[in-house]
């Protein structure tokens, strides 16, 4: 990759994406074989919001490459609690680490951080904005399961606040994909994302019901309703539980439909699907390690 930071999926060309995915395949084939690759690497993890997968898979990736991590810890236990600004926090941390992985509740936080430091910043989620490293592992998983060209994908759930959706939708414009967005009216894609997709000439449709499109899909990408982003709990309650995928829902799906989810799930996918051929979400999460190894490798 030619870039110093990974802030949004928009900055990634098809060639950038393919280079990372190809490298990730090499790492996935033998993850233990690269311990000597970046022994100097110290990666800073700065998570101002909860995380399990993103944080742990970046940590695992750094260690698999022979490096190590320094962790800011929870906001509660850091100087952020004393009123320190994000700019000051990252300026201090760049003196400790070779790259910064940042998750923050405010949209644009990673962009702002990148303006204050010289080490690479990876946006690991900025509010309802973007989550480009998740997109790379999503694309890796799609490529493995269905291929990235001539793809028919349904993206379901919280398209308004779901940052994984925004990044994935942008990245898919680089491939020959038909994107079907399925959501309640109040959780449709933000206008800015729709505008960008239009500008990129993306092949997109919007639906309220999954039934219309399900039989044609190669991949169904399910998302959690992002409760923590709703300004009004009442609005959340109106849409909570609106979509729930179970064996009955899938009666009209293709046998080779892959169901993906960035996780965590709440009630969007019934556990009865976990042992079916459709369930791709756990291997998707596991793919986070080789993909983030490849990403770190390209940024360093
Ligand atoms: C996602 C996120 O944080 O945006 N989680 C993740 O990184 N895998 C999705 C979510 O929280 O719903």
């Amino acid at each position: 990759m030619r870039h110093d930071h990974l802030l949004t999926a928009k900055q990634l060309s098809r060639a950038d994406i393919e280079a990372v995915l190809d490298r990730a395949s090499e790492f996935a084939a033998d993850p233990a074989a690269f311990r000597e690759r970046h022994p100097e690497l110290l990666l800073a993890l700065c998570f101002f919001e909860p995380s399990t997968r993103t944080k742990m898979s970046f940590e695992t990736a750094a260690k698999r490459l022979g490096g190590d991590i320094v962790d800011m810890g929870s906001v509660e236990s850091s100087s952020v609690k004393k009123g320190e600004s994000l700019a000051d926090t990252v300026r201090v941390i760049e003196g400790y680490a070779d790259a910064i992985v940042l998750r923050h509740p405010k949209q644009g936080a990673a962009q702002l951080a990148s303006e204050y430091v010289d080490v690479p910043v990876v946006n690991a989620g900025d509010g309802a904005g973007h989550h480009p490293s998740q997109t790379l592992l999503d694309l890796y998983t799609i490529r493995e399961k269905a291929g990235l060209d001539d793809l028919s994908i349904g993206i379901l759930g919280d398209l308004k606040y779901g940052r994984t959706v925004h990044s994935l939708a942008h990245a898919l414009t680089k491939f020959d994909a038909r994107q079907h967005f399925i959501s309640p009216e109040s959780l449709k894609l933000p206008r800015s994302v729709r505008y960008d997709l239009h500008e990129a000439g993306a092949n997109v449709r919007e639906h309220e019901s999954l039934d219309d499109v399900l039989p044609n899909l190669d991949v169904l990408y399910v998302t959690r309703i992002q409760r923590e982003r709703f300004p009004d709990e009442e609005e959340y309650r109106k849409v909570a539980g609106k979509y729930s995928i179970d064996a009955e829902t899938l009666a009209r799906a293709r046998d080779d439909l892959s169901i993906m989810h960035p996780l965590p799930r709440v009630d969007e996918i019934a556990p009865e699907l976990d042992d079916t051929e459709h369930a791709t979400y756990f291997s998707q999460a596991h793919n986070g390690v080789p993909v983030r190894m490849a990403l770190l490798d390209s940024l360093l």
Side-chain angles (χ1 to χ4, degrees):
M1 248 185 309
R2 304 175 310 283
H3 318 282
D4 301 330
H5 308 288
L6 180 60
L7 302 176
T8 77
K10 274 193 259 183
Q11 75 187 73
L12 298 172
S13 69
R14 181 176 173 132
D16 291 334
I17 293 168
E18 285 176 338
V20 172
L21 304 195
D22 289 346
R23 178 56 56 83
S25 298
E26 287 170 37
F27 290 149
D30 191 359
F34 298 90
R35 292 303 292 240
E36 304 300 322
R37 198 163 173 92
H38 291 291
E40 77 297 346
L41 165 66
L42 252 185
L43 183 66
L45 302 178
C46 304
F47 281 69
F48 291 74
E49 274 193 338
S51 172
T52 304
R53 274 152 293 276
T54 305
K55 189 169 169 181
M56 290 187 73
S57 63
F58 266 113
E59 175 164 359
T60 308
K63 290 180 173 171
R64 288 278 192 209
L65 290 168
D68 207 341
I69 59 115
V70 279
D71 184 354
M72 186 188 83
S74 71
V75 167
E76 290 301 307
S77 67
S78 74
S79 278
V80 176
K81 204 60 194 158
K82 302 180 191 169
E84 186 169 52
S85 69
L86 177 62
D88 281 2
T89 302
V90 293
R91 271 188 290 201
V92 170
I93 291 173
E94 80 163 328
Y96 305 154
D98 305 302
I100 297 175
V101 179
L102 177 70
R103 170 170 290 186
H104 198 279
K106 285 225 173 68
Q107 195 162 341
Q111 170 71 48
L112 180 132
S114 73
E115 287 162 16
Y116 284 91
V117 299
D118 289 326
V119 298
V121 173
V122 177
N123 180 7
D126 60 328
H130 298 270
H131 192 352
S133 72
Q134 175 72 39
T135 292
L136 289 169
L137 75 92
D138 292 342
L139 295 172
Y140 181 90
T141 308
I142 295 170
R143 188 168 85 161
E144 268 194 333
K145 286 298 213 178
L148 278 165
D149 279 312
D150 195 23
L151 173 75
S152 217
I153 183 169
I155 304 182
L156 173 87
D158 189 343
L159 313 181
K160 178 176 181 184
Y161 296 117
R163 55 197 176 196
T164 68
V165 170
H166 305 159
S167 290
L168 180 61
H170 278 298
L172 285 171
T173 64
K174 311 283 160 50
F175 299 88
D176 174 21
R178 290 172 297 284
Q179 303 192 55
H180 295 277
F181 295 103
I182 309 126
S183 72
E185 180 65 28
S186 63
L187 295 181
K188 283 167 79 167
L189 282 176
R191 195 155 2 143
S192 61
V193 176
R194 232 178 300 151
Y195 175 81
D196 284 342
L197 296 182
H198 177 73
E199 286 291 287
N203 184 343
V204 302
R205 298 255 160 78
E206 295 182 284
H207 314 259
E208 246 191 85
S209 159
L210 174 62
D211 293 344
D212 304 345
V213 285
L214 184 63
N216 303 320
L217 299 180
D218 302 304
V219 172
L220 177 60
Y221 188 94
V222 184
T223 62
R224 174 178 70 88
I225 310 272
Q226 308 280 298
R227 181 178 195 163
E228 66 277 28
R229 312 246 179 258
F230 280 67
D232 177 0
E233 179 72 14
E234 190 45 43
E235 289 302 310
Y236 168 72
R237 270 193 235 112
K238 283 188 198 154
V239 287
K242 169 111 179 148
Y243 299 104
S244 176
I245 310 298
D246 57 16
E248 202 184 319
T249 323
L250 295 186
R252 297 179 58 233
R254 293 203 340 231
D255 289 345
D256 62 352
L257 171 76
S258 268
I259 300 181
M260 295 175 59
H261 191 306
L263 301 177
R265 70 174 149 182
V266 183
D267 52 9
E268 311 84 49
I269 302 177
E272 67 186 16
L273 297 182
D274 294 355
D275 293 326
T276 68
E277 290 289 312
H278 298 297
T280 308
Y281 27 94
F282 292 116
S283 63
Q284 178 187 357
H286 296 158
N287 290 338
V289 173
V291 170
R292 289 179 167 126
M293 287 171 77
L295 172 62
L296 292 173
D297 191 58
S298 73
L299 286 173
L300 290 166

